[in-house]
Structures are given as structure tokens and as C-alpha cells.
Amino acid sequence: MIETPDARKLYLSVKPELDRLVTDRSSIEIDVKDYQLIMRVTSDDLISMRSTLNTWYRLIKVASEMVTLTSPN
């Protein structure tokens, strides 16, 4: 779970990636509730979970940086 006032913007930024699997041994669900971006990872093993979490962490980090850059001051 990531708490941020930009949770909805981040969700909309990464939503298209939900159609792509990181690995066939894991899956991810992402929801938004108020100011929280909630990620649920299901995995068959620790290695695929780590891979999925790393990938999604990077996607959300880049999306967050883009939201920050494009937001009015």
C-alpha cells in the first residue's frame, strides 16, 4: 500500500500495464481507496513475487516522478 494524494493519478498511469504479465507464476491487482494505492501480489514462489514487486515498484516510481513533473506548482 502506498499513501499519496496522487493515488488515483498513479493508478490511471499504470493501469494499462495490468494487461501484461511480469511472469506467468504471479499476478497483481491494483485498487485505489481514498489516498491509497493498494497492490495485491499473488505468486507461486518467492522469486516470481520479488520480480513482480520490483517491476511494479519501478513502474509506480516512474509514474510518480511524471506526476510530480507535470503537476502545476
Side-chain angles (χ1 to χ4, degrees):
M1 177 175 28
I2 300 170
E3 291 193 28
T4 174
D6 297 320
R8 183 128 187 93
K9 289 179 183 177
L10 294 179
Y11 171 76
L12 293 173
S13 294
V14 299
K15 184 179 175 189
E17 300 298 325
L18 288 171
D19 295 336
R20 299 180 185 166
L21 295 176
V22 174
T23 173
D24 60 347
R25 299 184 330 247
S26 66
S27 63
I28 188 162
E29 295 176 22
I30 300 179
D31 294 313
V32 176
K33 182 178 181 186
D34 300 323
Y35 295 107
Q36 298 174 338
L37 184 68
I38 303 165
M39 298 182 295
R40 290 179 202 87
V41 176
T42 305
S43 177
D44 293 341
D45 57 80
L46 188 58
I47 294 168
S48 61
M49 178 173 279
R50 182 181 54 82
S51 173
T52 299
L53 287 170
N54 284 338
T55 297
W56 280 91
Y57 171 75
R58 284 191 301 271
L59 287 170
I60 291 169
K61 183 178 177 188
V62 168
S64 177
E65 291 170 359
M66 293 301 104
V67 166
T68 301
L69 286 173
T70 59
S71 294
N73 293 348

